[in-house]
Amino acid sequence: MKFELEEISPTEKKINVEIPHEEVEKILSKKYKELRKRVKIKGFRPGKAPRFMLERFYGPQVNQETVQELLEINIPKILEESEIEPLVELEYDFEEIDFKGQKPLKFSAIAEVKPEITIEDYRGIPLKKEVIEVTDREVEEKLQELRENNAYLETVEEPPPVKEGDFVVIDFDTMIDGEKKDDLSAVDFTLEVGKAQIHADFDSQLLGMKVGETRSVKIQYSPETPNKELAGKEVEFKVTLEEVKQKVLPELDDEFARDLGDFSSLEEIKEKIREELLKMKESRSENMLREQLFNALLERTSFELPRRLVELEMALMVEQFKKQLEARGLTLPDIHSSEDALKEQYRPEAER
C-alpha cells in the first residue's frame, strides 16, 4: 500500500491511496472462500461452485465487503503514519471498484483536521470575576421552595364557592361536534384554578361552582392549538365539581428537617442550602470567566473553520429543535420554516 498527502486547505488534507492488486486479491479470495461454503448455486454441489459463478451472482457485494475490510486494515495505519487526527469521518472518493485485470484499488480520502491557531497578545487580558456571597434571604427563599415541594392537599369540608387559587377535583366529559371524546375526558382530575392547566377560559368558568354542581364549559380553541383534535374547534366540557382542596404547608421546624431524612435540625438544612448555593455560584462564576476568556481569545485570532464539522453541528442543532417541536405536536412547516433556513440561523452559534 502506498499513499500521498495533499493539503487542500488549513483544515482539509487529501490522502491519495493505492492498494496493490496482490493485497486486494488476498482479501477477495478469502471472501469468496467463505461465501462458497454458505451459498447454493444451481447445478453445483454445496461448496463446489467455481469463483466465476460466485462473481456473477455476488460480485458487487463481495467487492464492497472487500473494500470495507481493506479500509479497516489500511486507514488506521495511514492516519498513524501521517499523524492525522480527523475531526469527523473521512470522505471517500473511489476511482472505480473493479478488481478484474489485476487492477489495484485507487481512492482518495478527505480528512478534516484542526486548524493551526496562533494567539497573539493574550497576556494581561482583563477579566471580571463575580463577587460571591450567599445572603440569608436567598437561603430563606430556597427553604420556602423546599416547603412548597413538601406541601400536601387536604379536602375542605363545606367549602365556599370556587375561587382562583383553589385546588379542585373534577370529572368532565369532553364533547366535540356533539360527540364525547373519551381520550379527552377525565375522572378525579385535580387542577389549581388560575394555572390554565387545560385552558385559561376553562378556569374562569369554574369560578363560583359548588361541590356537586355540574356546569357546561365552552371553549373556542385557536387554529394554532398544538393538539390537532382541538385546533379550531369549539369544545364543550361537562364539568362536575367533586371536591375542593387546600394546600397545607409543613411547619418549618426540626421535625420538618427530620422528615426530610439526613437532618436533625432546621439549622442543618439551612447550612446545607447555603453550601449548595455557594457551590452553584462558584461554578457559575468559573463558567463566566471561561466565557470571557474564550470571547477575548476569539477577538485576538482568526482561522479557517472545519467545514464539515460546522455542518454537523448545525445539523445536530436542527434535529434538537425538531424534537422540541415534535413534543409540542408541531413540525417545521407549521412554523413556516425549513431545515436549510434553520441551519443558516444556527450557523453563528455552530461556528463558535
Side-chain angles (χ1 to χ4, degrees), residues 310-344:
V310 172
E311 290 173 354
L312 179 61
E313 186 67 20
M314 289 191 297
L316 289 174
M317 290 178 174
V318 169
E319 286 304 312
Q320 288 175 354
F321 184 74
K322 285 169 64 178
K323 287 180 180 178
Q324 292 172 5
L325 286 179
E326 288 172 8
R328 295 161 52 196
L330 298 172
T331 61
L332 289 178
D334 292 332
I335 61 169
H336 309 291
S337 187
S338 66
E339 289 197 13
D340 288 341
L342 271 179
K343 283 180 180 179
E344 289 309 308

PDB file of all heavy atoms in Angstrom, residues 310-344:
ATOM      1  N   VAL A 310     -18.637  22.102  11.125  1.00  0.00           N
ATOM      2  CA  VAL A 310     -19.658  23.129  11.313  1.00  0.00           C
ATOM      3  C   VAL A 310     -21.008  22.624  10.807  1.00  0.00           C
ATOM      4  O   VAL A 310     -22.051  22.809  11.456  1.00  0.00           O
ATOM      5  CB  VAL A 310     -19.267  24.438  10.596  1.00  0.00           C
ATOM      6  CG1 VAL A 310     -20.421  25.435  10.622  1.00  0.00           C
ATOM      7  CG2 VAL A 310     -18.031  25.043  11.235  1.00  0.00           C
ATOM      8  N   GLU A 311     -20.995  21.976   9.635  1.00  0.00           N
ATOM      9  CA  GLU A 311     -22.242  21.444   9.075  1.00  0.00           C
ATOM     10  C   GLU A 311     -22.860  20.396   9.992  1.00  0.00           C
ATOM     11  O   GLU A 311     -24.079  20.351  10.173  1.00  0.00           O
ATOM     12  CB  GLU A 311     -21.979  20.847   7.695  1.00  0.00           C
ATOM     13  CG  GLU A 311     -21.659  21.890   6.629  1.00  0.00           C
ATOM     14  CD  GLU A 311     -21.238  21.264   5.313  1.00  0.00           C
ATOM     15  OE1 GLU A 311     -21.095  20.015   5.275  1.00  0.00           O
ATOM     16  OE2 GLU A 311     -21.045  22.011   4.341  1.00  0.00           O
ATOM     17  N   LEU A 312     -22.014  19.558  10.585  1.00  0.00           N
ATOM     18  CA  LEU A 312     -22.500  18.535  11.509  1.00  0.00           C
ATOM     19  C   LEU A 312     -23.122  19.177  12.747  1.00  0.00           C
ATOM     20  O   LEU A 312     -24.186  18.753  13.213  1.00  0.00           O
ATOM     21  CB  LEU A 312     -21.341  17.614  11.912  1.00  0.00           C
ATOM     22  CG  LEU A 312     -21.672  16.484  12.893  1.00  0.00           C
ATOM     23  CD1 LEU A 312     -22.716  15.547  12.307  1.00  0.00           C
ATOM     24  CD2 LEU A 312     -20.413  15.700  13.255  1.00  0.00           C
ATOM     25  N   GLU A 313     -22.480  20.201  13.259  1.00  0.00           N
ATOM     26  CA  GLU A 313     -23.003  20.899  14.439  1.00  0.00           C
ATOM     27  C   GLU A 313     -24.344  21.561  14.119  1.00  0.00           C
ATOM     28  O   GLU A 313     -25.279  21.502  14.928  1.00  0.00           O
ATOM     29  CB  GLU A 313     -21.992  21.953  14.905  1.00  0.00           C
ATOM     30  CG  GLU A 313     -22.358  22.633  16.198  1.00  0.00           C
ATOM     31  CD  GLU A 313     -22.327  21.717  17.401  1.00  0.00           C
ATOM     32  OE1 GLU A 313     -21.663  20.654  17.327  1.00  0.00           O
ATOM     33  OE2 GLU A 313     -22.960  22.059  18.413  1.00  0.00           O
ATOM     34  N   MET A 314     -24.464  22.168  12.943  1.00  0.00           N
ATOM     35  CA  MET A 314     -25.729  22.791  12.546  1.00  0.00           C
ATOM     36  C   MET A 314     -26.829  21.739  12.424  1.00  0.00           C
ATOM     37  O   MET A 314     -27.964  21.955  12.857  1.00  0.00           O
ATOM     38  CB  MET A 314     -25.563  23.537  11.224  1.00  0.00           C
ATOM     39  CG  MET A 314     -24.724  24.799  11.317  1.00  0.00           C
ATOM     40  SD  MET A 314     -24.803  25.816   9.812  1.00  0.00           S
ATOM     41  CE  MET A 314     -24.073  24.702   8.596  1.00  0.00           C
ATOM     42  N   ALA A 315     -26.489  20.586  11.852  1.00  0.00           N
ATOM     43  CA  ALA A 315     -27.478  19.517  11.684  1.00  0.00           C
ATOM     44  C   ALA A 315     -27.969  19.012  13.042  1.00  0.00           C
ATOM     45  O   ALA A 315     -29.166  18.738  13.220  1.00  0.00           O
ATOM     46  CB  ALA A 315     -26.874  18.367  10.880  1.00  0.00           C
ATOM     47  N   LEU A 316     -27.052  18.889  14.003  1.00  0.00           N
ATOM     48  CA  LEU A 316     -27.443  18.449  15.346  1.00  0.00           C
ATOM     49  C   LEU A 316     -28.382  19.463  15.998  1.00  0.00           C
ATOM     50  O   LEU A 316     -29.359  19.090  16.659  1.00  0.00           O
ATOM     51  CB  LEU A 316     -26.200  18.248  16.210  1.00  0.00           C
ATOM     52  CG  LEU A 316     -25.317  17.043  15.884  1.00  0.00           C
ATOM     53  CD1 LEU A 316     -24.042  17.067  16.721  1.00  0.00           C
ATOM     54  CD2 LEU A 316     -26.073  15.736  16.117  1.00  0.00           C
ATOM     55  N   MET A 317     -28.097  20.735  15.824  1.00  0.00           N
ATOM     56  CA  MET A 317     -28.946  21.784  16.391  1.00  0.00           C
ATOM     57  C   MET A 317     -30.350  21.733  15.785  1.00  0.00           C
ATOM     58  O   MET A 317     -31.357  21.885  16.489  1.00  0.00           O
ATOM     59  CB  MET A 317     -28.325  23.161  16.147  1.00  0.00           C
ATOM     60  CG  MET A 317     -27.075  23.422  16.952  1.00  0.00           C
ATOM     61  SD  MET A 317     -26.359  25.049  16.571  1.00  0.00           S
ATOM     62  CE  MET A 317     -25.046  25.124  17.784  1.00  0.00           C
ATOM     63  N   VAL A 318     -30.413  21.519  14.475  1.00  0.00           N
ATOM     64  CA  VAL A 318     -31.705  21.435  13.802  1.00  0.00           C
ATOM     65  C   VAL A 318     -32.499  20.236  14.315  1.00  0.00           C
ATOM     66  O   VAL A 318     -33.708  20.338  14.581  1.00  0.00           O
ATOM     67  CB  VAL A 318     -31.526  21.347  12.272  1.00  0.00           C
ATOM     68  CG1 VAL A 318     -32.845  20.995  11.581  1.00  0.00           C
ATOM     69  CG2 VAL A 318     -30.990  22.655  11.726  1.00  0.00           C
ATOM     70  N   GLU A 319     -31.838  19.092  14.476  1.00  0.00           N
ATOM     71  CA  GLU A 319     -32.527  17.894  14.969  1.00  0.00           C
ATOM     72  C   GLU A 319     -33.054  18.112  16.382  1.00  0.00           C
ATOM     73  O   GLU A 319     -34.166  17.676  16.715  1.00  0.00           O
ATOM     74  CB  GLU A 319     -31.579  16.685  14.933  1.00  0.00           C
ATOM     75  CG  GLU A 319     -31.329  16.134  13.551  1.00  0.00           C
ATOM     76  CD  GLU A 319     -32.622  15.759  12.826  1.00  0.00           C
ATOM     77  OE1 GLU A 319     -33.467  15.069  13.435  1.00  0.00           O
ATOM     78  OE2 GLU A 319     -32.789  16.169  11.672  1.00  0.00           O
ATOM     79  N   GLN A 320     -32.285  18.768  17.217  1.00  0.00           N
ATOM     80  CA  GLN A 320     -32.747  19.052  18.582  1.00  0.00           C
ATOM     81  C   GLN A 320     -33.981  19.955  18.556  1.00  0.00           C
ATOM     82  O   GLN A 320     -34.940  19.731  19.302  1.00  0.00           O
ATOM     83  CB  GLN A 320     -31.629  19.723  19.387  1.00  0.00           C
ATOM     84  CG  GLN A 320     -30.493  18.768  19.747  1.00  0.00           C
ATOM     85  CD  GLN A 320     -29.345  19.479  20.444  1.00  0.00           C
ATOM     86  OE1 GLN A 320     -29.327  20.698  20.581  1.00  0.00           O
ATOM     87  NE2 GLN A 320     -28.363  18.715  20.899  1.00  0.00           N
ATOM     88  N   PHE A 321     -33.961  20.957  17.676  1.00  0.00           N
ATOM     89  CA  PHE A 321     -35.104  21.869  17.573  1.00  0.00           C
ATOM     90  C   PHE A 321     -36.335  21.126  17.058  1.00  0.00           C
ATOM     91  O   PHE A 321     -37.454  21.347  17.534  1.00  0.00           O
ATOM     92  CB  PHE A 321     -34.759  23.039  16.653  1.00  0.00           C
ATOM     93  CG  PHE A 321     -35.847  24.074  16.556  1.00  0.00           C
ATOM     94  CD1 PHE A 321     -36.081  24.938  17.604  1.00  0.00           C
ATOM     95  CD2 PHE A 321     -36.633  24.168  15.415  1.00  0.00           C
ATOM     96  CE1 PHE A 321     -37.084  25.896  17.528  1.00  0.00           C
ATOM     97  CE2 PHE A 321     -37.637  25.116  15.329  1.00  0.00           C
ATOM     98  CZ  PHE A 321     -37.866  25.988  16.389  1.00  0.00           C
ATOM     99  N   LYS A 322     -36.144  20.226  16.099  1.00  0.00           N
ATOM    100  CA  LYS A 322     -37.274  19.458  15.545  1.00  0.00           C
ATOM    101  C   LYS A 322     -37.906  18.566  16.615  1.00  0.00           C
ATOM    102  O   LYS A 322     -39.127  18.416  16.675  1.00  0.00           O
ATOM    103  CB  LYS A 322     -36.798  18.607  14.357  1.00  0.00           C
ATOM    104  CG  LYS A 322     -36.555  19.419  13.101  1.00  0.00           C
ATOM    105  CD  LYS A 322     -35.834  18.618  12.039  1.00  0.00           C
ATOM    106  CE  LYS A 322     -36.637  17.440  11.533  1.00  0.00           C
ATOM    107  NZ  LYS A 322     -35.928  16.707  10.459  1.00  0.00           N
ATOM    108  N   LYS A 323     -37.058  17.992  17.488  1.00  0.00           N
ATOM    109  CA  LYS A 323     -37.590  17.168  18.574  1.00  0.00           C
ATOM    110  C   LYS A 323     -38.396  18.002  19.557  1.00  0.00           C
ATOM    111  O   LYS A 323     -39.421  17.548  20.088  1.00  0.00           O
ATOM    112  CB  LYS A 323     -36.446  16.455  19.294  1.00  0.00           C
ATOM    113  CG  LYS A 323     -35.823  15.315  18.489  1.00  0.00           C
ATOM    114  CD  LYS A 323     -34.691  14.645  19.244  1.00  0.00           C
ATOM    115  CE  LYS A 323     -34.077  13.520  18.421  1.00  0.00           C
ATOM    116  NZ  LYS A 323     -32.939  12.875  19.124  1.00  0.00           N
ATOM    117  N   GLN A 324     -37.944  19.235  19.803  1.00  0.00           N
ATOM    118  CA  GLN A 324     -38.697  20.132  20.680  1.00  0.00           C
ATOM    119  C   GLN A 324     -40.053  20.466  20.066  1.00  0.00           C
ATOM    120  O   GLN A 324     -41.069  20.526  20.767  1.00  0.00           O
ATOM    121  CB  GLN A 324     -37.897  21.417  20.922  1.00  0.00           C
ATOM    122  CG  GLN A 324     -36.634  21.206  21.749  1.00  0.00           C
ATOM    123  CD  GLN A 324     -35.764  22.454  21.804  1.00  0.00           C
ATOM    124  OE1 GLN A 324     -36.130  23.508  21.300  1.00  0.00           O
ATOM    125  NE2 GLN A 324     -34.601  22.334  22.417  1.00  0.00           N
ATOM    126  N   LEU A 325     -40.068  20.665  18.748  1.00  0.00           N
ATOM    127  CA  LEU A 325     -41.331  20.930  18.064  1.00  0.00           C
ATOM    128  C   LEU A 325     -42.257  19.721  18.138  1.00  0.00           C
ATOM    129  O   LEU A 325     -43.464  19.860  18.392  1.00  0.00           O
ATOM    130  CB  LEU A 325     -41.078  21.290  16.598  1.00  0.00           C
ATOM    131  CG  LEU A 325     -40.496  22.672  16.295  1.00  0.00           C
ATOM    132  CD1 LEU A 325     -40.307  22.831  14.786  1.00  0.00           C
ATOM    133  CD2 LEU A 325     -41.397  23.780  16.815  1.00  0.00           C
ATOM    134  N   GLU A 326     -41.701  18.520  17.912  1.00  0.00           N
ATOM    135  CA  GLU A 326     -42.500  17.298  17.943  1.00  0.00           C
ATOM    136  C   GLU A 326     -43.172  17.111  19.303  1.00  0.00           C
ATOM    137  O   GLU A 326     -44.306  16.634  19.392  1.00  0.00           O
ATOM    138  CB  GLU A 326     -41.627  16.082  17.620  1.00  0.00           C
ATOM    139  CG  GLU A 326     -41.206  16.010  16.158  1.00  0.00           C
ATOM    140  CD  GLU A 326     -40.191  14.897  15.902  1.00  0.00           C
ATOM    141  OE1 GLU A 326     -39.960  14.106  16.835  1.00  0.00           O
ATOM    142  OE2 GLU A 326     -39.641  14.836  14.785  1.00  0.00           O
ATOM    143  N   ALA A 327     -42.451  17.490  20.371  1.00  0.00           N
ATOM    144  CA  ALA A 327     -43.018  17.363  21.717  1.00  0.00           C
ATOM    145  C   ALA A 327     -44.242  18.263  21.883  1.00  0.00           C
ATOM    146  O   ALA A 327     -45.097  18.004  22.738  1.00  0.00           O
ATOM    147  CB  ALA A 327     -41.959  17.712  22.765  1.00  0.00           C
ATOM    148  N   ARG A 328     -44.323  19.312  21.061  1.00  0.00           N
ATOM    149  CA  ARG A 328     -45.466  20.227  21.105  1.00  0.00           C
ATOM    150  C   ARG A 328     -46.469  19.946  19.994  1.00  0.00           C
ATOM    151  O   ARG A 328     -47.421  20.703  19.800  1.00  0.00           O
ATOM    152  CB  ARG A 328     -44.971  21.669  20.984  1.00  0.00           C
ATOM    153  CG  ARG A 328     -44.114  22.125  22.156  1.00  0.00           C
ATOM    154  CD  ARG A 328     -43.285  23.344  21.814  1.00  0.00           C
ATOM    155  NE  ARG A 328     -44.090  24.419  21.257  1.00  0.00           N
ATOM    156  CZ  ARG A 328     -43.590  25.459  20.601  1.00  0.00           C
ATOM    157  NH1 ARG A 328     -42.269  25.545  20.409  1.00  0.00           N
ATOM    158  NH2 ARG A 328     -44.374  26.402  20.130  1.00  0.00           N
ATOM    159  N   GLY A 329     -46.240  18.837  19.268  1.00  0.00           N
ATOM    160  CA  GLY A 329     -47.156  18.475  18.194  1.00  0.00           C
ATOM    161  C   GLY A 329     -47.008  19.315  16.946  1.00  0.00           C
ATOM    162  O   GLY A 329     -47.949  19.440  16.163  1.00  0.00           O
ATOM    163  N   LEU A 330     -45.813  19.899  16.739  1.00  0.00           N
ATOM    164  CA  LEU A 330     -45.591  20.783  15.592  1.00  0.00           C
ATOM    165  C   LEU A 330     -44.493  20.251  14.688  1.00  0.00           C
ATOM    166  O   LEU A 330     -43.700  19.394  15.092  1.00  0.00           O
ATOM    167  CB  LEU A 330     -45.208  22.187  16.081  1.00  0.00           C
ATOM    168  CG  LEU A 330     -46.238  22.938  16.937  1.00  0.00           C
ATOM    169  CD1 LEU A 330     -45.624  24.210  17.491  1.00  0.00           C
ATOM    170  CD2 LEU A 330     -47.480  23.268  16.118  1.00  0.00           C
ATOM    171  N   THR A 331     -44.463  20.781  13.457  1.00  0.00           N
ATOM    172  CA  THR A 331     -43.397  20.467  12.505  1.00  0.00           C
ATOM    173  C   THR A 331     -42.835  21.787  11.968  1.00  0.00           C
ATOM    174  O   THR A 331     -43.402  22.861  12.212  1.00  0.00           O
ATOM    175  CB  THR A 331     -43.928  19.629  11.330  1.00  0.00           C
ATOM    176  OG1 THR A 331     -44.929  20.389  10.635  1.00  0.00           O
ATOM    177  CG2 THR A 331     -44.539  18.318  11.828  1.00  0.00           C
ATOM    178  N   LEU A 332     -41.751  21.712  11.208  1.00  0.00           N
ATOM    179  CA  LEU A 332     -41.151  22.927  10.653  1.00  0.00           C
ATOM    180  C   LEU A 332     -42.117  23.711   9.752  1.00  0.00           C
ATOM    181  O   LEU A 332     -42.190  24.937   9.854  1.00  0.00           O
ATOM    182  CB  LEU A 332     -39.867  22.580   9.898  1.00  0.00           C
ATOM    183  CG  LEU A 332     -38.671  22.162  10.765  1.00  0.00           C
ATOM    184  CD1 LEU A 332     -37.478  21.793   9.889  1.00  0.00           C
ATOM    185  CD2 LEU A 332     -38.285  23.276  11.728  1.00  0.00           C
ATOM    186  N   PRO A 333     -42.879  23.035   8.869  1.00  0.00           N
ATOM    187  CA  PRO A 333     -43.842  23.800   8.064  1.00  0.00           C
ATOM    188  C   PRO A 333     -44.875  24.541   8.915  1.00  0.00           C
ATOM    189  O   PRO A 333     -45.352  25.602   8.520  1.00  0.00           O
ATOM    190  CB  PRO A 333     -44.508  22.714   7.203  1.00  0.00           C
ATOM    191  CG  PRO A 333     -43.476  21.639   7.092  1.00  0.00           C
ATOM    192  CD  PRO A 333     -42.786  21.627   8.428  1.00  0.00           C
ATOM    193  N   ASP A 334     -45.204  23.981  10.084  1.00  0.00           N
ATOM    194  CA  ASP A 334     -46.179  24.645  10.960  1.00  0.00           C
ATOM    195  C   ASP A 334     -45.689  26.009  11.420  1.00  0.00           C
ATOM    196  O   ASP A 334     -46.493  26.900  11.725  1.00  0.00           O
ATOM    197  CB  ASP A 334     -46.489  23.777  12.186  1.00  0.00           C
ATOM    198  CG  ASP A 334     -47.248  22.509  11.823  1.00  0.00           C
ATOM    199  OD1 ASP A 334     -47.964  22.528  10.816  1.00  0.00           O
ATOM    200  OD2 ASP A 334     -47.105  21.502  12.545  1.00  0.00           O
ATOM    201  N   ILE A 335     -44.368  26.186  11.527  1.00  0.00           N
ATOM    202  CA  ILE A 335     -43.818  27.476  11.973  1.00  0.00           C
ATOM    203  C   ILE A 335     -43.195  28.227  10.788  1.00  0.00           C
ATOM    204  O   ILE A 335     -42.392  29.138  10.986  1.00  0.00           O
ATOM    205  CB  ILE A 335     -42.783  27.278  13.095  1.00  0.00           C
ATOM    206  CG1 ILE A 335     -41.600  26.444  12.619  1.00  0.00           C
ATOM    207  CG2 ILE A 335     -43.422  26.651  14.321  1.00  0.00           C
ATOM    208  CD1 ILE A 335     -40.433  26.431  13.588  1.00  0.00           C
ATOM    209  N   HIS A 336     -43.578  27.797   9.568  1.00  0.00           N
ATOM    210  CA  HIS A 336     -43.137  28.465   8.334  1.00  0.00           C
ATOM    211  C   HIS A 336     -41.603  28.541   8.254  1.00  0.00           C
ATOM    212  O   HIS A 336     -41.027  29.587   7.987  1.00  0.00           O
ATOM    213  CB  HIS A 336     -43.740  29.867   8.241  1.00  0.00           C
ATOM    214  CG  HIS A 336     -45.222  29.908   8.435  1.00  0.00           C
ATOM    215  ND1 HIS A 336     -46.096  29.387   7.508  1.00  0.00           N
ATOM    216  CD2 HIS A 336     -45.982  30.359   9.479  1.00  0.00           C
ATOM    217  CE1 HIS A 336     -47.337  29.541   7.948  1.00  0.00           C
ATOM    218  NE2 HIS A 336     -47.302  30.109   9.145  1.00  0.00           N
ATOM    219  N   SER A 337     -40.977  27.389   8.486  1.00  0.00           N
ATOM    220  CA  SER A 337     -39.516  27.330   8.409  1.00  0.00           C
ATOM    221  C   SER A 337     -39.098  26.065   7.673  1.00  0.00           C
ATOM    222  O   SER A 337     -39.927  25.244   7.287  1.00  0.00           O
ATOM    223  CB  SER A 337     -38.912  27.352   9.820  1.00  0.00           C
ATOM    224  OG  SER A 337     -37.506  27.456   9.759  1.00  0.00           O
ATOM    225  N   SER A 338     -37.776  25.930   7.465  1.00  0.00           N
ATOM    226  CA  SER A 338     -37.228  24.755   6.783  1.00  0.00           C
ATOM    227  C   SER A 338     -35.881  24.416   7.409  1.00  0.00           C
ATOM    228  O   SER A 338     -35.304  25.221   8.147  1.00  0.00           O
ATOM    229  CB  SER A 338     -37.043  25.031   5.287  1.00  0.00           C
ATOM    230  OG  SER A 338     -36.051  26.033   5.107  1.00  0.00           O
ATOM    231  N   GLU A 339     -35.361  23.217   7.109  1.00  0.00           N
ATOM    232  CA  GLU A 339     -34.068  22.809   7.660  1.00  0.00           C
ATOM    233  C   GLU A 339     -32.953  23.734   7.183  1.00  0.00           C
ATOM    234  O   GLU A 339     -32.078  24.107   7.964  1.00  0.00           O
ATOM    235  CB  GLU A 339     -33.770  21.354   7.282  1.00  0.00           C
ATOM    236  CG  GLU A 339     -34.636  20.342   8.008  1.00  0.00           C
ATOM    237  CD  GLU A 339     -34.065  18.940   7.954  1.00  0.00           C
ATOM    238  OE1 GLU A 339     -32.879  18.800   7.571  1.00  0.00           O
ATOM    239  OE2 GLU A 339     -34.788  17.989   8.304  1.00  0.00           O
ATOM    240  N   ASP A 340     -32.977  24.094   5.909  1.00  0.00           N
ATOM    241  CA  ASP A 340     -31.920  24.971   5.377  1.00  0.00           C
ATOM    242  C   ASP A 340     -31.937  26.341   6.062  1.00  0.00           C
ATOM    243  O   ASP A 340     -30.883  26.890   6.405  1.00  0.00           O
ATOM    244  CB  ASP A 340     -32.089  25.144   3.864  1.00  0.00           C
ATOM    245  CG  ASP A 340     -31.731  23.876   3.095  1.00  0.00           C
ATOM    246  OD1 ASP A 340     -31.033  23.024   3.672  1.00  0.00           O
ATOM    247  OD2 ASP A 340     -32.168  23.734   1.936  1.00  0.00           O
ATOM    248  N   ALA A 341     -33.141  26.889   6.262  1.00  0.00           N
ATOM    249  CA  ALA A 341     -33.254  28.197   6.916  1.00  0.00           C
ATOM    250  C   ALA A 341     -32.762  28.122   8.357  1.00  0.00           C
ATOM    251  O   ALA A 341     -32.067  29.021   8.847  1.00  0.00           O
ATOM    252  CB  ALA A 341     -34.702  28.677   6.875  1.00  0.00           C
ATOM    253  N   LEU A 342     -33.114  27.038   9.041  1.00  0.00           N
ATOM    254  CA  LEU A 342     -32.678  26.876  10.430  1.00  0.00           C
ATOM    255  C   LEU A 342     -31.170  26.726  10.525  1.00  0.00           C
ATOM    256  O   LEU A 342     -30.532  27.270  11.438  1.00  0.00           O
ATOM    257  CB  LEU A 342     -33.358  25.648  11.049  1.00  0.00           C
ATOM    258  CG  LEU A 342     -34.717  25.867  11.716  1.00  0.00           C
ATOM    259  CD1 LEU A 342     -35.239  24.550  12.250  1.00  0.00           C
ATOM    260  CD2 LEU A 342     -34.638  26.889  12.828  1.00  0.00           C
ATOM    261  N   LYS A 343     -30.582  25.972   9.597  1.00  0.00           N
ATOM    262  CA  LYS A 343     -29.129  25.783   9.613  1.00  0.00           C
ATOM    263  C   LYS A 343     -28.404  27.125   9.508  1.00  0.00           C
ATOM    264  O   LYS A 343     -27.439  27.365  10.240  1.00  0.00           O
ATOM    265  CB  LYS A 343     -28.697  24.858   8.464  1.00  0.00           C
ATOM    266  CG  LYS A 343     -28.970  23.383   8.724  1.00  0.00           C
ATOM    267  CD  LYS A 343     -28.511  22.532   7.556  1.00  0.00           C
ATOM    268  CE  LYS A 343     -28.784  21.054   7.825  1.00  0.00           C
ATOM    269  NZ  LYS A 343     -28.364  20.201   6.696  1.00  0.00           N
ATOM    270  N   GLU A 344     -28.878  27.978   8.623  1.00  0.00           N
ATOM    271  CA  GLU A 344     -28.245  29.293   8.481  1.00  0.00           C
ATOM    272  C   GLU A 344     -28.461  30.140   9.732  1.00  0.00           C
ATOM    273  O   GLU A 344     -27.595  30.917  10.123  1.00  0.00           O
ATOM    274  CB  GLU A 344     -28.786  30.005   7.245  1.00  0.00           C
ATOM    275  CG  GLU A 344     -28.321  29.396   5.932  1.00  0.00           C
ATOM    276  CD  GLU A 344     -26.803  29.210   5.888  1.00  0.00           C
ATOM    277  OE1 GLU A 344     -26.069  30.187   6.165  1.00  0.00           O
ATOM    278  OE2 GLU A 344     -26.346  28.094   5.595  1.00  0.00           O
TER     279      GLU A 344
END
